[in-house]
Amino acid sequence: MEKNKAILPNILTWARKKSPWILHFNSGGCNGCDIELLSLLTPSYDIERFGILNEASPRHADILVCTGPVTEQVRPRLKRIYDQIPEPKWVLAVGSCSCSGGVFSGAYNILGGIDKLLPVDMYVPGCPCRPETIIDGIIKLVESIQ
Amino acid sequence: MNILHMLFEILIFPGFAFVLFTALFFHWLDRKLIARFQGRIGPPWYQPVADLIKLFSKEDILPVGTNEVFATLLPLVSFAFVMTASFYLPFAVPTTQSFEGDIIVVIFLLSMPSLLYFLAGWITSGVYSILGGNRSLLQYFSYEVLFLLAISGTVITSGSWSLAGIRSAQLTSGSYFLPQLLGFFLTVSGLIGKLKRDPYDIPKAKSEMVAGPLTEFSGKKLGLWQLTNQLQTVVGLSFLVHTYFGGYWQMGTVGGFFTFYLLLILLQCLLSAISAIYARFRIDQLIRLNWYALIPLALIHNLFLVLK
Amino acid sequence: MKLRSYFYLLPNIVRAFFSKPDTVNYPSITLEVADRFRGSVRIKAQNCVGCSLCVRDCPAQALELEKESKNSFRLIHYRDRCTYCGQCELSCRFDAIFLDNEYDEPSSNRAHFIVTLVERVPEE
Ligand code: SF4
Ligand code: SF4
Ligand code: SF4
C-alpha cells in the first residue's frame, strides 16, 4: 500500500514533466519575443522533442507562456485565460517587458510585469530573448515541477 | 477455462489492451514521421503515454451552462463505438464471427464518432465549438458519401457484403490494391476526412478556430477524445488492410499477423506523408472537390467494375 | 503543369526523411552566437569612474547609480529591465561598460537579476 502511494505520484510527475503543453499569449509586447517563441516550432529548434506542443486553447494547456508588459486593455483577458487553464498550471514570463515592464516601464497604460497580476514561476530575460533562453526557461520550469 | 480464454481475448490480446497499445504506438509513429518529413527530430517514444497520463490527471473544467452528463457521455460513447468497430477488424486473429453485412456495421460504427464530434461542439456553447461543429457536419456529407462509394468497389468485385467474404475472395483472386488503385486512393481520401487529419482538418483548424468542437474540453474528456481519434486511425487503417490487402495475409497465422502489422505501418506512412505535403483545404474547396471530382470518379469507377 | 504542383513537396519530404534532421540538439550542443550579438551587460570595473552617463542614456532605466562621493558609489544593473540595446556601451566615455555575447540565464526569482556591476568603497 505504501509503495502504491509512492508510485502513483511519481508517474504523474513524470508524465507532467514529459508533456508540458504551452499556450502562447501576447499581452501587449512589441511582438519580438513572439517571433522568437514561434521559431521554437521550426525544424532547427523543434521543441516537440521535449514533448512540448503549442496548443491553441487554454483548456488544453499546462504552461502559459506570456510575453508583453500587460496593458490595461489586455489585463482582464489575461486573467480570464489564466483562470481557464486547468490545474496544475504554470506561468512563464518571456522577455524583459513581461518581467518588469522593460522598455515600456513608466508608460501610463501598462501594469508593468506579469507578476503584478499572476504568480509567475519562471522569468526569461532578454529583449527579445533568444530561442535557446526560452528553451532553457521551459526546461528549468519543467524540472522544478514536483 | 473457456471463459478465461474469452476474457483474455477480449481484454488483452487481440482485444482492448492490444488495440489501445497499437493506437498509442501509431499516434507516436504519426507524430515522429511527420517530424522527420519536416526535418525535425520529433517526440520520444513514450510521448503518447505521457500525454494521456497527464491529461487524465488534470483538472476537468466545463463552461457554465454545459450539460455535464452529455459532455461526459459523448467522448465515452464515441470511444465505445470505435472500440466495438475494432472487434470486427481483428489483427489477423479470428475473434468475432463475420456475418453478411458486417461491413455496413463497421462503416456505421466508424462514422458515428464524427456525428458525436459535431454534438460535442454543439453542447459546449462556445463560438469556436459551434462553428467547428457546423464545419464537421458539412464535411461529413462529402467524405462519408465518397468513403461508402469507394469502398463498395471491393464489395462489387467480391460479391459479398461481409469482411470475411471480401477477404476470401481476395485470397483466390489476389488483392484488390493494385487492380483498384484508384478506388484505394479514393477510400484513403474518405478516411482522411473521417480522421480529420491534415488536408481535411477543417473542423479543428488550429490557426483559424482554436481547436474546433474540442475547444472547451479539458482533462479526462479531452484525453478520451484524443484516444478516440487515435483508435479511429488504427481501426480505419485495418479496415483498409481487410478490404484492399486481403490477399497478402491469412487469418490466424503468425506470418499473417506480422504482415498485417507491416501493412498498417506502411499505410500510416502514407497518411503521414499526405499530412506533411498538403495544406488545409477551405471548406468550399473541399466540398467542391468531393462532389464535383471525387464522387463522380468513384461512381464511374464502380460502373466500370460492374460492367467488367 | 498543375498536376506537378500537387507533388511538388514529395521529393522534399523524402529527402528530409532520409537525411539527418536539421534540429540542433540544443541543451547538449551549444549554439554558436555571433560576435556582435548583444548579450548580458558586463563591466571593466577598474575603468568606471561613476560619471552616470550610461545611467542617463539607458532607455529602460536598467542601470542605477548610488553615488555618495567621487570614489564611493555602486552601479547596479537590473537584467529583467534591460533591453540589450547597447546604448550604455555607446555612451560610456571610459570604455568601461560593454555587452558580452553570452545571454542571461532564466531564473525563478527576480532577485537574481539584480547585479552589482561596480562597487567602490573609499579606502580608509
Ligand atoms: S521583451 Fe522586448 S522584444 Fe520582447 S516583447 Fe517585450 S519589448 Fe518586445
Ligand atoms: S543595454 Fe540598453 S537597456 Fe541595457 S543597460 Fe545598456 S542602455 Fe540600458
Ligand atoms: S560605466 Fe561608463 S558611463 Fe557608466 S558610470 Fe561607469 S564610466 Fe560612467
Side-chain angles (χ1 to χ4, degrees), chain B residues 91-94 167 171 246-257 259:
Chain B
F91 278 57
V93 184
R167 279 199 306 267
L171 278 181
Y248 295 132
W249 50 279
Q250 221 155 20
M251 207 69 176
T253 56
V254 178
F257 175 77
T259 322

Side-chain angles (χ1 to χ4, degrees), chain B residues 180-192:
Chain B
Q180 297 190 21
L181 203 58
L182 178 65
F184 172 72
F185 278 108
L186 290 177
T187 318
V188 168
S189 152
L191 186 68
I192 293 172

Side-chain angles (χ1 to χ4, degrees), chain C residues 4 16 30 37 41 46 53 62 79 84 92 99 102 111 117:
Chain C
R4 203 158 94 212
T30 10
F37 174 70
V41 174
Q46 72 277 10
L53 275 176
R79 285 183 172 172
Y84 302 88
C92 180
L99 266 68
E102 287 167 15
L117 290 179

Side-chain angles (χ1 to χ4, degrees), chain B residues 247-268:
Chain B
Y248 295 132
W249 50 279
Q250 221 155 20
M251 207 69 176
T253 56
V254 178
F257 175 77
F258 284 109
T259 322
F260 193 98
Y261 223 89
L262 195 71
L263 283 170
L264 278 187
I265 289 175
L266 286 179
L267 285 178
Q268 178 66 56

Side-chain angles (χ1 to χ4, degrees), chain B:
Chain B
M1 195 59 219
N2 214 358
I3 286 181
L4 269 183
H5 188 76
M6 244 171 73
L7 273 182
F8 179 77
E9 272 196 344
I10 291 175
L11 290 179
I12 304 179
F13 177 51
F16 208 76
F18 181 69
V19 175
L20 273 189
F21 163 76
T22 315
L24 292 178
F25 170 69
F26 273 80
H27 182 55
W28 170 77
L29 191 70
D30 179 27
R31 277 170 71 175
K32 183 85 180 171
L33 278 173
I34 290 184
R36 291 298 291 114
F37 285 144
Q38 294 172 344
R40 297 186 281 131
I41 290 181
W45 61 270
Y46 48 72
Q47 197 52 53
V49 185
D51 283 352
L52 204 65
I53 295 175
K54 182 208 75 181
L55 279 178
F56 272 78
S57 72
K58 279 203 82 140
E59 189 193 359
D60 215 336
I61 316 179
L62 275 178
V64 182
T66 310
N67 190 333
E68 208 164 311
V69 180
F70 258 121
T72 321
L73 272 183
L74 283 177
L76 272 177
V77 170
S78 66
F79 181 72
F81 270 124
V82 184
M83 205 69 218
T84 318
S86 82
F87 285 110
Y88 286 100
L89 301 160
F91 278 57
V93 184
T95 42
T96 40
Q97 207 67 41
S98 188
F99 55 86
E100 198 61 27
D102 61 356
I103 191 166
I104 298 289
V105 175
V106 170
I107 289 174
F108 165 74
L109 288 173
L110 275 180
S111 68
M112 273 322 267
S114 304
L115 271 182
L116 298 177
Y117 193 74
F118 156 73
L119 278 182
W122 201 254
I123 59 160
T124 52
S125 43
V127 182
Y128 294 121
S129 326
I130 291 177
L131 198 59
N134 278 343
R135 282 188 182 186
S136 81
L137 212 57
L138 269 176
Q139 189 182 339
Y140 185 80
F141 288 119
S142 47
Y143 70 76
E144 208 65 54
V145 178
L146 174 68
F147 187 73
L148 199 58
L149 280 177
I151 209 82
S152 53
T154 61
V155 176
I156 291 168
T157 339
S158 65
S160 158
W161 279 102
S162 76
L163 285 167
I166 295 176
R167 279 199 306 267
S168 53
Q170 288 180 69
L171 278 181
T172 49
S173 73
S175 292
Y176 295 150
F177 168 56
L178 281 179
Q180 297 190 21
L181 203 58
L182 178 65
F184 172 72
F185 278 108
L186 290 177
T187 318
V188 168
S189 152
L191 186 68
I192 293 172
K194 247 185 212 311
L195 304 175
K196 300 175 193 64
R197 286 177 60 86
D198 241 311
Y200 287 17
D201 65 341
I202 300 161
K204 55 179 181 185
K206 209 168 166 185
S207 46
E208 290 164 30
M209 21 194 272
V210 187
L214 302 189
T215 307
E216 308 287 346
F217 283 88
S218 64
K220 294 183 193 62
K221 294 174 189 119
L222 179 69
L224 217 49
W225 276 116
Q226 295 199 340
L227 198 60
T228 307
N229 196 287
Q230 294 157 16
L231 208 60
Q232 215 181 350
T233 313
V234 174
V235 174
L237 290 182
S238 52
F239 190 53
L240 286 188
V241 178
H242 275 268
T243 46
Y244 280 99
F245 297 88
Y248 295 132
W249 50 279
Q250 221 155 20
M251 207 69 176
T253 56
V254 178
F257 175 77
F258 284 109
T259 322
F260 193 98
Y261 223 89
L262 195 71
L263 283 170
L264 278 187
I265 289 175
L266 286 179
L267 285 178
Q268 178 66 56
C269 290
L270 179 70
L271 283 195
S272 303
I274 291 174
S275 300
I277 292 176
Y278 295 109
R280 186 189 313 127
F281 287 113
R282 231 168 38 218
I283 184 79
D284 59 323
Q285 287 173 337
L286 175 102
I287 288 176
R288 205 175 303 140
L289 175 77
N290 269 291
W291 281 98
Y292 289 173
L294 298 185
I295 290 176
L297 209 61
L299 278 175
I300 293 169
H301 184 244
N302 283 357
L303 197 68
F304 185 71
L305 287 178
V306 171
L307 292 182
K308 206 167 67 171

Side-chain angles (χ1 to χ4, degrees), chain C residues 55-74:
Chain C
V55 179
R56 207 186 60 192
D57 283 351
C58 175
Q61 286 111 48
L63 291 166
E64 202 177 282
L65 188 71
E66 289 170 3
K67 195 166 182 180
E68 274 149 34
S69 69
K70 208 172 172 186
N71 35 18
S72 155
F73 59 87
R74 257 163 92 205

